[in-house]
Amino acid sequence: MKNRTDIIEVFAWEALDSRGTPTVACEVGLTGGTRGTAMVPSGASVGTHEAKALRDGGQRYGGDGVRTATAQVNSVLATAVRGLDATAQADVDTALRAADGTADLSVVGANAVLAVSVATARAAADAAGEPLYRYVAEGSAAPLLPMPMVNIISGGAHAGRAVDIQDFLVVPIGAGSFAEAIETAWEVRRSTAAVVASRGHNVALIADEGGLGPVLPSNRAALELLAAGIEKAGFRLGTDAAIAIDVAASEFYDPAGRTYDLAAEQRALTAVELTEELRSWAADFPIVSIEDPLAEDDWEHWPGAAAALAGMQVLGDDLFVTDPKRLRRGIACSAANAVLVKPNQIGTLTAAHEVVNLAHGAAMATVLSARSGETEDSWLADLAVGWRTGQIKVGSTMRSERTAKWNRLLEIEARLGSAATFAGAAALAPAPAV
Ligand code: PGA
Ligand code: ZN
């Protein structure tokens, strides 16, 4: 044994995520005795080009069991990383990738790989006696508390397709600290729930990420409710609080007809018509960020949409799937001005961090994101602070798998005290003209 940070033990087991779906949990142990654990999330509106989570199939848990993936951790991946120095994250991640051998990690599973990758960082941070956010930071880069975008109303795959658009979120652009931003979002959620109830909708329906899931006649109706909620809470629209949406357009794209089918409104739109529709919403509501306005492979129309919506943050999720290759293509054709970063889309911390740095190098904004299926683990919060992503998207202000991340960020900000820096509205693209 050379170092006290060499990996000697890797152990994985099957746990449950916030939807009750099995997920991979893992512990990595080092020579010097420190250990790190991690649990990984999973999505519902999963991009076609994401790394693949391995599921067992068969009868157990309706086919969603992950015992094959945990067995892969305990055998193939453990063998691959045992003896490696946990502080050399890139080497560990390279070994994990090589042990799988495929680009989409479909042999051992991206869920297995990410669990080991994150648990390794945790163990190494512990060995260094540092909080995870400091350990993952590049050199002496100062911690940066992210601007949250907080889910208030859900539709799409997260709420029984009550409306087509997947997320209607509040961005507390006037907040001066992370804690103030969360408090603003809490007020907006409470007021929006009151407005929803006063208009006769059901507020008992809580969506996958803790948002309200009312059945509404149109997507615009959701924007109206959120705007009314912001004002009822006493905030100025577009000054104190603004709106972000995740269109998640891949979910309602019909490749045969090349149309976007808004089922809630019984309308089928071309890419150009959908872009115009989004522009008209932005003319009537203070929308500052639009995620996945078009489908994941509609490369032909993304640059046009990005230009038409250029006053706002145009954010690629399913388009980029946290893949450096796809992000490079997007940078080359100006497909978007911001990228959503979900570590489980790509499978390792090293690759996800590379996407963040690539984006920043191209003057793009970054939003670190949880998945709709999450756990009580909070490592995502530390990555946002250490990697200085500037923004984070975790869901609503309730449900423990969501508050685990907010609570960790509140803790970090409180502990840093006067040394804490909050990214604020400046973190959103487009960068203000200088
Ligand atoms: P998912 O959704 O985790 O269900 O994929 C989140 C998102 O689309 O941003
Ligand atoms: Zn999305």
Side-chain angles (χ1 to χ4, degrees), residues 19 41-47 50 157-158 166-167 208-209 246 248 251 291-292 317-318 340 342 344-345 369-374 393 402:
R19 273 194 282 253
S42 74
S45 64
V46 176
E50 292 190 22
H158 296 170
Q166 185 172 285
D167 279 330
D208 285 3
E209 298 192 3
D246 181 3
E251 293 288 310
E291 180 177 337
D292 283 352
D317 170 11
D318 291 350
L340 200 81
K342 293 168 166 168
N344 83 325
Q345 283 180 328
S369 174
R371 301 306 302 249
S372 51
E374 268 295 334
K393 176 185 164 193
R402 313 290 148 192

Side-chain angles (χ1 to χ4, degrees), residues 8-39:
I8 47 167
E9 206 185 330
V10 181
F11 176 65
W13 62 98
E14 185 180 64
L16 296 182
D17 75 13
S18 56
R19 273 194 282 253
T21 305
T23 192
V24 178
C26 172
E27 182 179 72
V28 167
L30 309 187
T31 322
T34 57
R35 294 166 180 283
T37 62
M39 279 189 280

